[in-house]
Structures are given as C-alpha cells and as structure tokens.
Amino acid sequence: MPRAEGGSDVMHGFVLALFAATILVTAPFVLDRAEAAGFSPRLVQQGWRAAAGGALVSLALAVPVFTTDLWTAPARAMGIAPGIGFVDVPLAVQVAVACTVLLGLAAGWRRGGPVVRDYRRALHVQLDRLEATSPVLDEIERGHPRLVIVEDAQPRLVLLPSRPPRVEVTTRALDLLKPEELNAVLTHMSGHLRRRDALWMTASETMAEAYPRVGFFVRWADHSAALAEKGADADVHGPIARSNLRRALAKLSGPGQANGPFCPCFAWPQQRQEELTVRQPRTPRTPVAVVALRALTAAALLVPTLVVASPHFMYV
C-alpha cells in the first residue's frame, strides 16, 4: 500500500506525548494548590482522576502512531490492506518504541501487580468470612443486600465493594451507635460506593508502585485516600448529621476497626473529628476559579479525544 504524507500524523503523536508529559508535570502543582486553597475535595479528586486518565490515554494513543508498520503487519500478512495511511517512521525506531513500551509495561506490572492481587485477596477473605457467619440481618434494597449485621464483640463497620456492595455491621457497633449516627456513617459509605473510591485508591496505589519515579503517580496515591474520605464526608449534609458522623467516628475508631484497601473510613480519627466540627471556617471560592479548575479537568480528557477525532489522525 502506498505511504501517505506522514508529517501531520507524526505531529499528532508528538502532540499526544507532549500533552501527557505536560499533565504529569503540572497537574500535581495545580491540584495541590487547589486543595490547599479550599476547593471542594470532590472537585480536586475529579481533577486527579481526569489527569491520570488523560495522561494514560494520550500515551496509549501516541504509541500506535509511531509503530504503525508493526501493529498492521499481521493484517497485511493475511492479505488484508488496513484502511489507514502509513507514516514515515523508520522500522528501527518503531521496534525501539514497541520494545520500550512492552518492557515498561512488564516492569510496571511486576512492581504494581501485587497491589491488585492484595486488594482482590483481601476482598475475598472478607467475603469468605462474611459468608461463614450467620448474619442477624441481611437487609435488601432494590434486590441487592446492602446492610449485613453479624454477631461480633468487636465494634466493626466495614464497606465491602463487592457485587452487590455490602456494608458489614457488627452487633457491638450497633450497641455503640445511635440510629442517627449509623445513618450518617451509611450515608458516608454510600458516597464511597457512588464514586468507586476503593477501585480508584487501588489504581493510584498500583500506579505509584509500578512507576515510583513518576512523581505524579506518587502524589496521586498520597492524596487519594484523604480526598476520598473528605468527599464522602461532604455527602453528609447539615451540622447535626456531621456531628453524628463525628461521634460515630470517635466510637468506632480503634484496634478492632477494619481499615485497609476498601475504605479507610476510621483512619486519622483526631484529624477527621476536627474537620467534621460543626463550624468550619471556609474561604468561599470564586466562580471563576471553580470554572477554571473544571475546565482544566475537562481538558485532560477532551484534548486527546479531539486529536483522535481530527480528520487526519492515522489517515483513516
């Protein structure tokens, strides 16, 4: 198949790679400043996730631009002519790019894979333990078990992001908590489930372990759990409800409480009780600043989409 003019296509690859590098370098600074300035934890959390997604998607889209001959070779060997143009990238460069990417992925999985395996193993252990007990109550909401009460002397309240998701509550925890305090904790945990915080925290930890020299991933992992907790706290509206959550936190924090990869809801008890005080001085954010942060968050995903949708990308 004749080669097409490759300059524009190669330029797309460079744009995607440069955009990914820009995100990885600048996003931690911008998001750290936004968090310190008092922006909504959920907005900052969305910024970290969009930045990570935008950088990884941009890099994933840039690789095929520089390795066109390699990934279309199987189709050509079968007599199928792919409907794309070929860019003028030397074969040696394509092989070098492909080998670098494959070695990077293999090394990353070797370092980060244990995080995923530990998460899955911990979830299976918790679910097996739960299945081995005889629940006092297995409350069903819309056909899905949500609240599972088990007999136990430890004041434990654990979020299990299974399918369907479960919240395990021990009888001792029920003895300590008032109904309104339990409701505040369940509202908090529902926020975790809606935003899939357990999966995102595991993803950030995996990337930080896989690529420890990339500062973006390390900083993302450092902020992920705290932002998830602050975001879920914000789902508990009103001073009375927040006071109930603060009291529940004080009652359930301790060595018998299960934290870990699912939901560190009872970590940092003293700090979080201070953050949940009824009166919190908060500097209001200007609409322009909020819109600017939202625009940057959207741009992280929109720019690679626009590059791919451009008429000359890969000459499809």
Side-chain angles (χ1 to χ4, degrees), residues 171-232:
T171 50
R172 177 56 180 160
L174 290 179
D175 291 338
L176 293 175
L177 297 179
K178 297 178 180 179
E180 56 271 22
E181 294 169 349
L182 175 61
N183 183 65
V185 174
L186 294 179
T187 301
H188 170 99
M189 289 187 168
S190 296
H192 282 303
L193 291 174
R194 282 196 308 275
R195 287 182 290 276
R196 300 181 181 272
D197 285 337
L199 293 178
W200 281 104
M201 283 189 283
T202 303
S204 65
E205 289 291 339
T206 300
M207 296 303 296
E209 290 292 331
Y211 304 104
R213 295 186 179 182
V214 181
F216 173 91
F217 294 128
V218 176
R219 301 270 286 279
W220 182 28
D222 289 341
H223 289 260
S224 184
L227 284 172
E229 290 308 312
K230 292 177 182 179

Short mmCIF file of all heavy atoms in Angstrom, two decimals, residues 171-232:
data_model
loop_
_atom_site.label_atom_id
_atom_site.label_comp_id
_atom_site.label_asym_id
_atom_site.label_seq_id
_atom_site.Cartn_x
_atom_site.Cartn_y
_atom_site.Cartn_z
N THR A 171 -22.85 -6.49 65.81
CA THR A 171 -23.84 -6.15 66.85
C THR A 171 -23.24 -5.21 67.89
O THR A 171 -23.94 -4.38 68.47
CB THR A 171 -24.33 -7.44 67.53
OG1 THR A 171 -23.19 -8.23 67.93
CG2 THR A 171 -25.19 -8.26 66.59
N ARG A 172 -21.93 -5.33 68.15
CA ARG A 172 -21.29 -4.43 69.10
C ARG A 172 -21.31 -2.99 68.58
O ARG A 172 -21.52 -2.03 69.34
CB ARG A 172 -19.84 -4.88 69.35
CG ARG A 172 -19.05 -3.96 70.28
CD ARG A 172 -19.73 -3.79 71.62
NE ARG A 172 -18.97 -2.93 72.50
CZ ARG A 172 -19.47 -2.31 73.55
NH1 ARG A 172 -20.76 -2.46 73.86
NH2 ARG A 172 -18.70 -1.55 74.31
N ALA A 173 -21.09 -2.82 67.27
CA ALA A 173 -21.16 -1.48 66.69
C ALA A 173 -22.56 -0.91 66.83
O ALA A 173 -22.73 0.29 67.10
CB ALA A 173 -20.73 -1.53 65.22
N LEU A 174 -23.56 -1.75 66.64
CA LEU A 174 -24.95 -1.27 66.79
C LEU A 174 -25.24 -0.87 68.23
O LEU A 174 -26.02 0.05 68.47
CB LEU A 174 -25.92 -2.36 66.33
CG LEU A 174 -25.96 -2.64 64.82
CD1 LEU A 174 -26.95 -3.75 64.53
CD2 LEU A 174 -26.31 -1.38 64.05
N ASP A 175 -24.62 -1.59 69.17
CA ASP A 175 -24.82 -1.22 70.58
C ASP A 175 -24.23 0.15 70.88
O ASP A 175 -24.78 0.90 71.71
CB ASP A 175 -24.17 -2.27 71.49
CG ASP A 175 -24.89 -3.61 71.45
OD1 ASP A 175 -26.08 -3.62 71.07
OD2 ASP A 175 -24.26 -4.63 71.79
N LEU A 176 -23.13 0.49 70.22
CA LEU A 176 -22.46 1.76 70.49
C LEU A 176 -23.11 2.93 69.76
O LEU A 176 -23.10 4.06 70.27
CB LEU A 176 -20.99 1.67 70.07
CG LEU A 176 -20.09 0.72 70.88
CD1 LEU A 176 -18.70 0.67 70.26
CD2 LEU A 176 -19.99 1.17 72.33
N LEU A 177 -23.65 2.68 68.57
CA LEU A 177 -24.14 3.76 67.74
C LEU A 177 -25.63 4.01 67.94
O LEU A 177 -26.42 3.06 68.04
CB LEU A 177 -23.88 3.45 66.26
CG LEU A 177 -22.42 3.33 65.82
CD1 LEU A 177 -22.36 3.00 64.33
CD2 LEU A 177 -21.65 4.61 66.11
N LYS A 178 -25.99 5.27 67.95
CA LYS A 178 -27.41 5.64 67.88
C LYS A 178 -27.87 5.52 66.43
O LYS A 178 -27.06 5.55 65.51
CB LYS A 178 -27.59 7.07 68.39
CG LYS A 178 -27.22 7.27 69.85
CD LYS A 178 -27.40 8.73 70.24
CE LYS A 178 -27.03 8.95 71.70
NZ LYS A 178 -27.18 10.36 72.11
N PRO A 179 -29.18 5.37 66.21
CA PRO A 179 -29.67 5.22 64.83
C PRO A 179 -29.22 6.36 63.91
O PRO A 179 -28.85 6.13 62.75
CB PRO A 179 -31.18 5.18 64.99
CG PRO A 179 -31.41 4.66 66.37
CD PRO A 179 -30.27 5.20 67.19
N GLU A 180 -29.24 7.59 64.42
CA GLU A 180 -28.85 8.71 63.57
C GLU A 180 -27.36 8.68 63.27
O GLU A 180 -26.92 9.13 62.20
CB GLU A 180 -29.23 10.05 64.22
CG GLU A 180 -28.67 10.29 65.60
CD GLU A 180 -29.57 9.77 66.71
OE1 GLU A 180 -30.39 8.88 66.44
OE2 GLU A 180 -29.44 10.28 67.84
N GLU A 181 -26.54 8.16 64.18
CA GLU A 181 -25.11 8.04 63.93
C GLU A 181 -24.84 6.96 62.89
O GLU A 181 -23.99 7.14 61.99
CB GLU A 181 -24.38 7.72 65.23
CG GLU A 181 -24.44 8.86 66.25
CD GLU A 181 -23.96 8.45 67.62
OE1 GLU A 181 -23.77 7.24 67.86
OE2 GLU A 181 -23.77 9.35 68.48
N LEU A 182 -25.55 5.84 62.99
CA LEU A 182 -25.41 4.78 61.99
C LEU A 182 -25.84 5.29 60.61
O LEU A 182 -25.18 5.01 59.59
CB LEU A 182 -26.25 3.57 62.38
CG LEU A 182 -26.28 2.42 61.37
CD1 LEU A 182 -24.89 1.85 61.14
CD2 LEU A 182 -27.25 1.33 61.84
N ASN A 183 -26.91 6.05 60.56
CA ASN A 183 -27.37 6.60 59.29
C ASN A 183 -26.33 7.53 58.67
O ASN A 183 -26.11 7.52 57.45
CB ASN A 183 -28.68 7.35 59.49
CG ASN A 183 -29.25 7.87 58.19
OD1 ASN A 183 -29.64 7.10 57.32
ND2 ASN A 183 -29.31 9.19 58.05
N ALA A 184 -25.65 8.33 59.50
CA ALA A 184 -24.61 9.23 58.99
C ALA A 184 -23.44 8.43 58.41
O ALA A 184 -22.91 8.78 57.35
CB ALA A 184 -24.12 10.15 60.11
N VAL A 185 -23.06 7.34 59.07
CA VAL A 185 -21.95 6.52 58.56
C VAL A 185 -22.35 5.85 57.25
O VAL A 185 -21.56 5.77 56.30
CB VAL A 185 -21.54 5.46 59.61
CG1 VAL A 185 -20.49 4.52 59.02
CG2 VAL A 185 -21.00 6.13 60.85
N LEU A 186 -23.58 5.35 57.17
CA LEU A 186 -24.03 4.70 55.93
C LEU A 186 -24.11 5.69 54.78
O LEU A 186 -23.83 5.35 53.63
CB LEU A 186 -25.38 4.02 56.16
CG LEU A 186 -25.38 2.84 57.14
CD1 LEU A 186 -26.78 2.28 57.29
CD2 LEU A 186 -24.42 1.75 56.67
N THR A 187 -24.50 6.93 55.06
CA THR A 187 -24.51 7.96 54.03
C THR A 187 -23.09 8.22 53.53
O THR A 187 -22.85 8.36 52.32
CB THR A 187 -25.11 9.26 54.58
OG1 THR A 187 -26.45 9.01 55.02
CG2 THR A 187 -25.13 10.34 53.51
N HIS A 188 -22.16 8.28 54.46
CA HIS A 188 -20.75 8.46 54.11
C HIS A 188 -20.27 7.32 53.21
O HIS A 188 -19.63 7.54 52.18
CB HIS A 188 -19.93 8.51 55.41
CG HIS A 188 -18.45 8.46 55.22
ND1 HIS A 188 -17.66 9.59 55.23
CD2 HIS A 188 -17.61 7.42 55.03
CE1 HIS A 188 -16.40 9.24 55.04
NE2 HIS A 188 -16.33 7.92 54.92
N MET A 189 -20.58 6.08 53.56
CA MET A 189 -20.12 4.94 52.80
C MET A 189 -20.81 4.85 51.44
O MET A 189 -20.21 4.39 50.46
CB MET A 189 -20.34 3.66 53.60
CG MET A 189 -19.40 3.53 54.78
SD MET A 189 -19.54 1.93 55.61
CE MET A 189 -18.08 2.01 56.67
N SER A 190 -22.05 5.29 51.36
CA SER A 190 -22.72 5.31 50.06
C SER A 190 -22.01 6.24 49.09
O SER A 190 -21.96 5.98 47.88
CB SER A 190 -24.18 5.75 50.24
OG SER A 190 -24.91 4.81 51.01
N GLY A 191 -21.44 7.32 49.62
CA GLY A 191 -20.65 8.22 48.77
C GLY A 191 -19.43 7.52 48.21
O GLY A 191 -19.08 7.70 47.04
N HIS A 192 -18.78 6.70 49.03
CA HIS A 192 -17.64 5.91 48.53
C HIS A 192 -18.07 5.00 47.39
O HIS A 192 -17.37 4.87 46.37
CB HIS A 192 -17.05 5.07 49.65
CG HIS A 192 -16.19 5.82 50.61
ND1 HIS A 192 -15.09 6.54 50.21
CD2 HIS A 192 -16.27 5.97 51.96
CE1 HIS A 192 -14.51 7.09 51.28
NE2 HIS A 192 -15.22 6.77 52.34
N LEU A 193 -19.21 4.36 47.55
CA LEU A 193 -19.66 3.42 46.53
C LEU A 193 -20.01 4.13 45.23
O LEU A 193 -19.68 3.65 44.15
CB LEU A 193 -20.86 2.63 47.04
CG LEU A 193 -20.59 1.64 48.17
CD1 LEU A 193 -21.89 1.04 48.68
CD2 LEU A 193 -19.65 0.54 47.70
N ARG A 194 -20.68 5.28 45.32
CA ARG A 194 -21.07 6.00 44.11
C ARG A 194 -19.85 6.42 43.30
O ARG A 194 -19.88 6.38 42.07
CB ARG A 194 -21.89 7.24 44.46
CG ARG A 194 -23.33 6.97 44.81
CD ARG A 194 -24.14 8.25 44.75
NE ARG A 194 -23.54 9.32 45.54
CZ ARG A 194 -23.75 9.49 46.83
NH1 ARG A 194 -24.53 8.64 47.49
NH2 ARG A 194 -23.18 10.48 47.48
N ARG A 195 -18.80 6.82 43.97
CA ARG A 195 -17.61 7.31 43.27
C ARG A 195 -16.56 6.22 43.06
O ARG A 195 -15.47 6.52 42.57
CB ARG A 195 -17.00 8.48 44.04
CG ARG A 195 -17.81 9.76 43.92
CD ARG A 195 -17.14 10.91 44.65
NE ARG A 195 -17.19 10.74 46.10
CZ ARG A 195 -18.22 11.08 46.86
NH1 ARG A 195 -19.29 11.61 46.31
NH2 ARG A 195 -18.18 10.90 48.16
N ARG A 196 -16.88 4.98 43.44
CA ARG A 196 -15.94 3.85 43.27
C ARG A 196 -14.57 4.17 43.87
O ARG A 196 -13.52 3.94 43.25
CB ARG A 196 -15.81 3.48 41.79
CG ARG A 196 -17.13 3.07 41.14
CD ARG A 196 -16.93 2.71 39.69
NE ARG A 196 -18.20 2.33 39.08
CZ ARG A 196 -18.70 1.10 39.08
NH1 ARG A 196 -18.04 0.12 39.67
NH2 ARG A 196 -19.86 0.84 38.48
N ASP A 197 -14.59 4.69 45.08
CA ASP A 197 -13.35 5.14 45.71
C ASP A 197 -12.37 4.00 45.93
O ASP A 197 -11.15 4.20 45.80
CB ASP A 197 -13.66 5.83 47.04
CG ASP A 197 -14.24 7.22 46.86
OD1 ASP A 197 -14.01 7.81 45.78
OD2 ASP A 197 -14.93 7.71 47.77
N ALA A 198 -12.87 2.82 46.29
CA ALA A 198 -11.96 1.69 46.56
C ALA A 198 -11.15 1.34 45.31
O ALA A 198 -9.94 1.13 45.38
CB ALA A 198 -12.75 0.48 47.05
N LEU A 199 -11.81 1.31 44.15
CA LEU A 199 -11.12 0.98 42.91
C LEU A 199 -10.12 2.06 42.53
O LEU A 199 -9.00 1.77 42.09
CB LEU A 199 -12.13 0.77 41.79
CG LEU A 199 -13.04 -0.46 41.92
CD1 LEU A 199 -14.02 -0.51 40.76
CD2 LEU A 199 -12.22 -1.74 41.98
N TRP A 200 -10.51 3.32 42.71
CA TRP A 200 -9.60 4.41 42.35
C TRP A 200 -8.40 4.46 43.29
O TRP A 200 -7.28 4.77 42.87
CB TRP A 200 -10.34 5.75 42.36
CG TRP A 200 -11.15 5.98 41.13
CD1 TRP A 200 -12.51 5.89 41.00
CD2 TRP A 200 -10.66 6.36 39.84
NE1 TRP A 200 -12.89 6.17 39.71
CE2 TRP A 200 -11.78 6.46 38.98
CE3 TRP A 200 -9.39 6.61 39.33
CZ2 TRP A 200 -11.65 6.82 37.64
CZ3 TRP A 200 -9.26 6.96 38.00
CH2 TRP A 200 -10.38 7.06 37.17
N MET A 201 -8.62 4.20 44.59
CA MET A 201 -7.49 4.18 45.52
C MET A 201 -6.53 3.05 45.16
O MET A 201 -5.30 3.22 45.21
CB MET A 201 -7.99 4.03 46.96
CG MET A 201 -8.55 5.32 47.56
SD MET A 201 -8.89 5.19 49.32
CE MET A 201 -10.42 4.26 49.31
N THR A 202 -7.08 1.90 44.79
CA THR A 202 -6.24 0.79 44.38
C THR A 202 -5.47 1.13 43.11
O THR A 202 -4.29 0.81 42.96
CB THR A 202 -7.09 -0.47 44.16
OG1 THR A 202 -7.80 -0.78 45.37
CG2 THR A 202 -6.22 -1.67 43.80
N ALA A 203 -6.15 1.81 42.17
CA ALA A 203 -5.49 2.21 40.92
C ALA A 203 -4.33 3.17 41.20
O ALA A 203 -3.23 3.02 40.62
CB ALA A 203 -6.49 2.86 39.98
N SER A 204 -4.54 4.13 42.09
CA SER A 204 -3.46 5.09 42.38
C SER A 204 -2.29 4.40 43.08
O SER A 204 -1.12 4.68 42.77
CB SER A 204 -4.00 6.23 43.25
OG SER A 204 -4.41 5.77 44.53
N GLU A 205 -2.59 3.49 44.01
CA GLU A 205 -1.51 2.76 44.69
C GLU A 205 -0.75 1.87 43.70
O GLU A 205 0.47 1.73 43.76
CB GLU A 205 -2.09 1.91 45.82
CG GLU A 205 -2.59 2.72 47.01
CD GLU A 205 -1.47 3.37 47.78
OE1 GLU A 205 -0.31 2.91 47.66
OE2 GLU A 205 -1.73 4.35 48.50
N THR A 206 -1.51 1.26 42.78
CA THR A 206 -0.87 0.39 41.78
C THR A 206 0.08 1.18 40.90
O THR A 206 1.23 0.76 40.65
CB THR A 206 -1.94 -0.29 40.91
OG1 THR A 206 -2.81 -1.07 41.74
CG2 THR A 206 -1.30 -1.19 39.86
N MET A 207 -0.36 2.34 40.42
CA MET A 207 0.49 3.14 39.54
C MET A 207 1.70 3.70 40.31
O MET A 207 2.80 3.79 39.75
CB MET A 207 -0.32 4.28 38.93
CG MET A 207 -1.44 3.83 38.01
SD MET A 207 -0.88 2.79 36.66
CE MET A 207 0.17 3.91 35.76
N ALA A 208 1.51 4.05 41.58
CA ALA A 208 2.63 4.56 42.37
C ALA A 208 3.68 3.48 42.59
O ALA A 208 4.89 3.75 42.56
CB ALA A 208 2.13 5.09 43.70
N GLU A 209 3.23 2.25 42.82
CA GLU A 209 4.17 1.15 42.99
C GLU A 209 4.81 0.76 41.66
O GLU A 209 5.99 0.39 41.61
CB GLU A 209 3.46 -0.07 43.60
CG GLU A 209 3.04 0.11 45.05
CD GLU A 209 4.22 0.17 45.99
OE1 GLU A 209 5.26 -0.44 45.67
OE2 GLU A 209 4.11 0.83 47.03
N ALA A 210 4.01 0.82 40.59
CA ALA A 210 4.52 0.40 39.28
C ALA A 210 5.57 1.38 38.75
O ALA A 210 6.58 0.96 38.17
CB ALA A 210 3.37 0.27 38.30
N TYR A 211 5.33 2.68 38.94
CA TYR A 211 6.23 3.69 38.39
C TYR A 211 6.59 4.70 39.49
O TYR A 211 6.13 5.85 39.46
CB TYR A 211 5.58 4.38 37.19
CG TYR A 211 5.16 3.40 36.13
CD1 TYR A 211 3.82 3.05 35.96
CD2 TYR A 211 6.10 2.77 35.31
CE1 TYR A 211 3.43 2.12 35.00
CE2 TYR A 211 5.73 1.84 34.35
CZ TYR A 211 4.40 1.52 34.21
OH TYR A 211 4.02 0.60 33.26
N PRO A 212 7.41 4.27 40.45
CA PRO A 212 7.71 5.14 41.60
C PRO A 212 8.51 6.39 41.24
O PRO A 212 8.54 7.33 42.03
CB PRO A 212 8.51 4.21 42.53
CG PRO A 212 9.09 3.17 41.63
CD PRO A 212 8.09 2.97 40.54
N ARG A 213 9.15 6.41 40.07
CA ARG A 213 9.91 7.59 39.68
C ARG A 213 9.06 8.65 39.00
O ARG A 213 9.56 9.74 38.71
CB ARG A 213 11.06 7.18 38.76
CG ARG A 213 12.10 6.30 39.45
CD ARG A 213 13.29 6.04 38.56
NE ARG A 213 14.30 5.21 39.22
CZ ARG A 213 15.45 4.86 38.68
NH1 ARG A 213 15.75 5.26 37.45
NH2 ARG A 213 16.29 4.10 39.35
N VAL A 214 7.82 8.32 38.73
CA VAL A 214 6.91 9.31 38.15
C VAL A 214 6.20 10.00 39.32
O VAL A 214 5.32 9.43 39.98
CB VAL A 214 5.88 8.65 37.21
CG1 VAL A 214 4.95 9.71 36.61
CG2 VAL A 214 6.61 7.88 36.11
N GLY A 215 6.60 11.24 39.57
CA GLY A 215 6.09 11.94 40.74
C GLY A 215 4.58 12.08 40.77
O GLY A 215 3.97 12.09 41.84
N PHE A 216 3.96 12.22 39.59
CA PHE A 216 2.51 12.39 39.53
C PHE A 216 1.82 11.23 40.23
O PHE A 216 0.91 11.45 41.04
CB PHE A 216 2.04 12.48 38.08
CG PHE A 216 0.54 12.48 37.93
CD1 PHE A 216 -0.16 13.67 37.92
CD2 PHE A 216 -0.17 11.29 37.81
CE1 PHE A 216 -1.55 13.68 37.79
CE2 PHE A 216 -1.54 11.29 37.68
CZ PHE A 216 -2.24 12.49 37.67
N PHE A 217 2.20 9.99 39.92
CA PHE A 217 1.51 8.84 40.48
C PHE A 217 1.75 8.72 41.99
O PHE A 217 0.84 8.34 42.74
CB PHE A 217 1.96 7.56 39.77
CG PHE A 217 1.57 7.50 38.33
CD1 PHE A 217 2.51 7.24 37.34
CD2 PHE A 217 0.26 7.73 37.95
CE1 PHE A 217 2.14 7.20 36.00
CE2 PHE A 217 -0.12 7.69 36.61
CZ PHE A 217 0.83 7.42 35.64
N VAL A 218 2.95 9.06 42.44
CA VAL A 218 3.24 9.02 43.87
C VAL A 218 2.38 10.05 44.61
O VAL A 218 1.79 9.75 45.66
CB VAL A 218 4.73 9.27 44.11
CG1 VAL A 218 5.03 9.32 45.61
CG2 VAL A 218 5.57 8.17 43.46
N ARG A 219 2.29 11.25 44.06
CA ARG A 219 1.49 12.30 44.71
C ARG A 219 0.01 11.94 44.67
O ARG A 219 -0.73 12.22 45.63
CB ARG A 219 1.73 13.64 44.00
CG ARG A 219 3.18 14.10 44.01
CD ARG A 219 3.49 14.96 45.21
NE ARG A 219 2.91 16.28 45.08
CZ ARG A 219 3.44 17.27 44.36
NH1 ARG A 219 4.55 17.07 43.69
NH2 ARG A 219 2.86 18.45 44.33
N TRP A 220 -0.44 11.36 43.58
CA TRP A 220 -1.85 10.94 43.48
C TRP A 220 -2.18 9.92 44.56
O TRP A 220 -3.21 10.03 45.24
CB TRP A 220 -2.11 10.37 42.09
CG TRP A 220 -3.51 9.93 41.83
CD1 TRP A 220 -4.66 10.42 42.41
CD2 TRP A 220 -3.96 8.91 40.92
NE1 TRP A 220 -5.78 9.79 41.92
CE2 TRP A 220 -5.37 8.86 41.01
CE3 TRP A 220 -3.28 8.07 40.04
CZ2 TRP A 220 -6.12 7.96 40.25
CZ3 TRP A 220 -4.04 7.18 39.27
CH2 TRP A 220 -5.43 7.13 39.39
N ALA A 221 -1.31 8.94 44.74
CA ALA A 221 -1.55 7.93 45.77
C ALA A 221 -1.54 8.56 47.16
O ALA A 221 -2.33 8.16 48.03
CB ALA A 221 -0.49 6.83 45.67
N ASP A 222 -0.67 9.54 47.39
CA ASP A 222 -0.61 10.19 48.70
C ASP A 222 -1.90 10.92 49.03
O ASP A 222 -2.31 11.00 50.20
CB ASP A 222 0.57 11.18 48.74
CG ASP A 222 1.91 10.47 48.76
OD1 ASP A 222 1.96 9.28 49.09
OD2 ASP A 222 2.93 11.12 48.42
N HIS A 223 -2.56 11.48 48.02
CA HIS A 223 -3.76 12.29 48.24
C HIS A 223 -5.05 11.48 48.12
O HIS A 223 -6.11 11.94 48.56
CB HIS A 223 -3.81 13.44 47.23
CG HIS A 223 -2.79 14.50 47.48
ND1 HIS A 223 -3.07 15.69 48.12
CD2 HIS A 223 -1.48 14.57 47.18
CE1 HIS A 223 -1.99 16.43 48.20
NE2 HIS A 223 -1.00 15.77 47.63
N SER A 224 -5.00 10.32 47.51
CA SER A 224 -6.21 9.62 47.11
C SER A 224 -7.12 9.28 48.28
O SER A 224 -8.32 9.56 48.26
CB SER A 224 -5.84 8.35 46.33
OG SER A 224 -6.99 7.70 45.85
N ALA A 225 -6.57 8.65 49.31
CA ALA A 225 -7.39 8.20 50.43
C ALA A 225 -8.00 9.39 51.19
O ALA A 225 -9.19 9.38 51.52
CB ALA A 225 -6.57 7.33 51.38
N ALA A 226 -7.17 10.41 51.47
CA ALA A 226 -7.68 11.56 52.22
C ALA A 226 -8.77 12.29 51.45
O ALA A 226 -9.79 12.70 52.03
CB ALA A 226 -6.53 12.51 52.55
N LEU A 227 -8.59 12.46 50.13
CA LEU A 227 -9.62 13.14 49.33
C LEU A 227 -10.89 12.31 49.27
O LEU A 227 -12.00 12.86 49.29
CB LEU A 227 -9.09 13.40 47.92
CG LEU A 227 -8.09 14.55 47.78
CD1 LEU A 227 -7.51 14.57 46.37
CD2 LEU A 227 -8.76 15.89 48.10
N ALA A 228 -10.75 10.98 49.20
CA ALA A 228 -11.93 10.12 49.18
C ALA A 228 -12.74 10.27 50.47
O ALA A 228 -13.97 10.34 50.44
CB ALA A 228 -11.52 8.67 48.97
N GLU A 229 -12.03 10.34 51.61
CA GLU A 229 -12.72 10.50 52.89
C GLU A 229 -13.39 11.87 53.01
O GLU A 229 -14.53 11.99 53.45
CB GLU A 229 -11.74 10.29 54.04
CG GLU A 229 -11.27 8.87 54.19
CD GLU A 229 -12.42 7.89 54.26
OE1 GLU A 229 -13.37 8.13 55.02
OE2 GLU A 229 -12.39 6.90 53.51
N LYS A 230 -12.69 12.91 52.59
CA LYS A 230 -13.27 14.25 52.65
C LYS A 230 -14.47 14.37 51.73
O LYS A 230 -15.47 15.03 52.07
CB LYS A 230 -12.22 15.30 52.29
CG LYS A 230 -11.11 15.43 53.32
CD LYS A 230 -10.07 16.44 52.86
CE LYS A 230 -8.92 16.56 53.86
NZ LYS A 230 -7.88 17.51 53.40
N GLY A 231 -14.38 13.75 50.54
CA GLY A 231 -15.51 13.78 49.62
C GLY A 231 -16.72 13.06 50.17
O GLY A 231 -17.86 13.53 50.04
N ALA A 232 -16.49 11.90 50.81
CA ALA A 232 -17.61 11.16 51.40
C ALA A 232 -18.17 11.90 52.62
O ALA A 232 -19.38 11.87 52.87
CB ALA A 232 -17.16 9.76 51.80
#
